[in-house]
Amino acid sequence: MPLNMIKLCVGAESVEDLEEWIAERLDEARALGRPVEQMHTTRMVPSRAPELVDGGSLYWVIKGSVQCRQRLLEVRPFTDADGISRCHLVLDPKVVRTEWQPRRAFQGWRYLVAADAPADLSDNASGWQALPPDLRSELASLGLL
């Protein structure tokens, strides 16, 4: 069973917002001739990295609910210019939408076992998943999703 991570997606208003941010960063890397890969930097290096990259994903909490995930491809520890240990989480740029799962705010990241992870949504979204992002967000803020 793969091991996952969960993290707040600070600054994103919706899954679509996250997808736009990823596309911009990948375009920027192409334009600058850098490797075209999506990375997220975190301060703490996961001690269970081999389990994470063996089929695990990073689940994103957006506006108080887990809403999507990205597959974890690699964990790259490094030391920054100030001598602080950090970590690049290399992610598959494809964002997979999941069932919404409410989560309280927390700092950093947490491990998430597969049994506790929300299920992926099908590509044929219907019901509340087919609603426009702003309406979904408003309904969620009212506790109706």
Side-chain angles (χ1 to χ4, degrees):
M1 219 180 242
L3 181 64
N4 304 294
M5 295 176 85
I6 186 168
K7 186 164 185 2
L8 299 182
C9 192
V10 178
E13 297 292 319
S14 65
V15 175
E16 293 79 7
D17 195 19
L18 173 63
E19 290 172 325
E20 288 173 20
W21 186 88
I22 292 167
E24 288 172 10
R25 295 304 170 274
L26 295 177
D27 288 345
E28 183 179 294
R30 275 186 207 94
L32 295 172
R34 293 190 313 227
V36 181
E37 57 187 7
Q38 195 223 336
M39 291 188 290
H40 179 75
T41 304
T42 182
R43 178 151 186 205
M44 302 301 294
V45 178
S47 60
R48 299 173 68 182
E51 293 173 82
L52 291 169
V53 298
D54 189 22
S57 292
L58 175 60
Y59 284 78
W60 290 110
V61 177
I62 301 173
K63 293 295 192 183
S65 293
V66 176
Q67 297 185 31
C68 61
R69 69 176 180 85
Q70 290 178 270
R71 196 165 50 90
L72 277 159
L73 303 176
E74 190 176 348
V75 176
R76 291 185 193 152
F78 70 99
T79 303
D80 70 10
D82 297 323
I84 299 171
S85 294
R86 298 197 184 275
C87 177
H88 287 309
L89 302 175
V90 182
L91 304 167
D92 183 335
K94 180 181 182 212
V95 176
V96 178
R97 285 166 171 71
T98 65
E99 292 179 352
W100 282 25
Q101 186 182 76
R103 287 289 172 142
R104 292 184 183 188
F106 58 92
Q107 291 186 354
W109 53 263
R110 304 282 184 270
Y111 289 117
L112 178 67
V113 295
D116 295 336
D120 292 351
L121 292 178
S122 71
D123 290 335
N124 304 344
S126 62
W128 66 264
Q129 298 99 338
L131 294 173
D134 56 340
L135 182 56
R136 282 194 321 253
S137 184
E138 174 125 7
L139 290 172
S141 72
L142 296 170
L144 299 173
L145 285 182

